[in-house]
């Protein structure tokens, strides 16, 4: 069985023509062969959307939440609506085809297609996940970086696509390199008016007493699937949960904080802007164990 699987969608959207009207909705293809046109808007403009799902013990996690967010992101970019039935079947086919592993991931991509054309491009890629044990146990150091937008950017300037999972991640990658230059592992973005937002590829979650807090998605941050699973976990343990508009200062005052995301899962923050902060190792371990055990 392969360690990488690539599936190309023949008709990623019912609102657009198929690439080949005679062919099946999707097909497993040879990953060693070229598939993407150099004129695809995914490559030339980052004009598309994506999702990355964790697959634990063969089960894709937060399946419906990822698909709903995929459709929402596509709508924010005025892309043809993804045919979620076909995408769901393609994801499941990729997972079945992949060589079994404790932890894998599936990345799904929908672009506007080749420039000047009318057919969107869609693919599903599955592979084994890297080992994130160290980030999950020893923790990560973060720097806070100004994202350069006010906290209300999503409502004042929806064309900036805050909160959509677009293929345009060059800014997020640049922020990660800035963190590295400053000797840190990751980033917590802050709005230009001092509100905590999210990481470049993760959601910020912190504990204040018995309350688990995350920045409100209305702030133009991604509606996190991992965070949603962790809120359900916290509530089942009797904790309360809250979506807030937290000021920067709240992070240093938190009892524990994490950057959470699919694949890496829960990474406890051990240092913020060169200040050491305590890790809640017990709760972190329980959260990661919970996520790794999810079978939906
Ligand atoms: N915020 C951003 C900007 C992200 O890119 C991601 C994931 O890649 C997340 C948050 C976390 O989302 P999820 O937990 O659904 O993976």
């Amino acid at each position: 069985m392969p360690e990488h699987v690539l599936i190309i969608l023949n008709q990623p959207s019912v609102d657009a023509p198929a690439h080949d009207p005679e062919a099946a909705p999707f097909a497993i293809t040879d990953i060693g062969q070229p598939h993407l046109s150099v004129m695809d808007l995914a490559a030339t403009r980052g004009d598309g959307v994506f999702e990355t799902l964790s697959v634990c013990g063969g089960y894709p996690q937060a399946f419906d939440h990822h698909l709903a967010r995929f459709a929402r992101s596509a709508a924010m970019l005025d892309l043809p609506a993804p045919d979620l039935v076909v995408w769901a079947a393609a994801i499941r086919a990729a997972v079945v085809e992949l060589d079994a592993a404790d932890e894998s991931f599936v990345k799904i991509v929908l672009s506007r297609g080749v420039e000047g054309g009318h057919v969107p491009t869609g693919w599903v890629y599955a592979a084994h996940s890297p080992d994130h044990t160290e980030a999950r146990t020893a923790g990560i150091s973060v720097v806070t970086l100004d994202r350069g937008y006010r906290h209300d950017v999503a409502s004042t300037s929806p064309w900036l696509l805050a909160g959509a999972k677009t293929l345009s991640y060059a800014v997020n990658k640049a922020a990660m390199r800035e963190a590295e230059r400053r000797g840190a592992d990751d980033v917590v973005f802050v709005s230009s008016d001092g509100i905590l937002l999210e990481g470049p590829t993760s959601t910020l979650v912190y504990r204040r007493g018995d309350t688990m807090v995350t920045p409100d998605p209305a702030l133009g941050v991604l509606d996190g699937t991992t965070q949603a699973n962790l809120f359900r976990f916290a509530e089942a343990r009797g904790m309360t949960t809250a979506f807030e508009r937290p000021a920067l200062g709240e992070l240093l005052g938190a009892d524990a904080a994490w950057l959470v995301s699919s694949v890496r899962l829960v990474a406890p923050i051990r240092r913020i802007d060169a200040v050491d902060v305590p890790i809640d190792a017990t709760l972190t371990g329980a959260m990661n164990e919970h996520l790794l055990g999810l079978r939906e």
Side-chain angles (χ1 to χ4, degrees):
M1 283 174 110
E3 285 190 16
H4 305 257
V5 175
L6 177 64
I7 289 181
I8 304 285
L9 274 74
N10 179 37
Q11 188 166 16
S13 167
V14 280
D15 295 343
H19 290 266
D20 175 354
E22 309 295 317
F26 62 84
I28 297 175
T29 57
D30 180 354
I31 196 157
Q33 296 300 313
H35 296 284
L36 193 68
S37 161
V38 294
M39 291 305 286
D40 195 289
L41 287 158
T44 58
R45 303 276 185 193
D47 191 5
V49 297
F50 77 105
E51 284 292 323
T52 304
L53 296 80
S54 296
V55 182
C56 295
Y59 291 84
Q61 296 186 337
F63 197 76
D64 293 342
H65 193 162
H66 277 290
L67 285 181
R69 194 171 68 184
F70 192 51
R72 213 160 48 239
S73 296
M76 287 172 78
L77 271 72
D78 305 310
L79 285 166
D83 182 344
L84 295 184
V85 173
V86 169
W87 283 92
I91 294 168
R92 294 202 189 282
V95 170
V96 167
E97 185 69 11
L98 192 68
D99 184 18
D102 288 345
E103 291 185 56
S104 314
F105 69 91
V106 178
K107 182 169 182 170
I108 64 175
V109 180
L110 172 70
S111 88
R112 209 174 298 279
V114 172
E115 201 153 359
H118 304 286
V119 187
T121 303
W123 70 90
V124 171
Y125 171 75
H128 293 172
S129 301
D131 183 358
H132 287 298
T133 310
E134 186 167 346
R136 289 175 194 165
T137 51
I140 53 171
S141 58
V142 301
V143 287
T144 54
L145 294 181
D146 183 354
R147 189 173 241 175
Y149 300 137
R150 287 187 314 271
H151 74 277
D152 54 356
V153 64
S155 53
T156 62
S157 320
W159 49 88
L160 292 178
L161 302 176
K165 200 163 167 66
T166 79
L167 292 173
S168 310
Y169 262 47
V171 166
N172 303 37
K173 301 294 269 183
M176 293 298 274
R177 292 194 299 276
E178 180 61 24
E180 202 179 330
R181 272 193 288 276
R182 297 185 190 196
D185 303 312
D186 213 321
V187 173
V188 174
F189 281 128
V190 180
S191 70
S192 58
D193 48 356
I195 304 296
L196 290 167
L197 297 174
E198 64 184 340
T201 61
S202 55
T203 306
L204 175 67
V205 174
Y206 60 90
R207 183 173 70 76
R208 190 182 55 225
D210 277 338
T211 305
M212 195 85 97
V213 184
T214 197
D216 192 328
L219 296 165
V221 299
L222 202 67
D223 154 39
T225 65
T226 314
Q227 166 269 314
N229 273 333
L230 290 173
F231 269 27
R232 284 194 284 271
F233 165 81
E235 284 157 9
R237 287 168 69 109
M239 295 178 76
T240 51
T241 55
F243 294 93
E244 293 188 358
R245 199 177 278 194
L248 175 56
E250 292 225 11
L251 191 54
L252 275 176
D255 293 309
W258 303 269
L259 284 180
V260 311
S261 54
S262 305
V263 187
R264 188 172 70 180
L265 305 183
V266 180
I269 297 177
R270 61 175 168 74
R271 181 178 265 249
I272 303 165
D273 292 334
V275 177
D276 287 331
V277 292
I279 282 181
D280 185 338
T282 310
L283 185 54
T284 304
M287 292 195 292
N288 273 318
E289 202 176 310
H290 171 74
L291 292 176
L292 288 166
L294 283 178
R295 292 295 175 254
E296 53 165 315

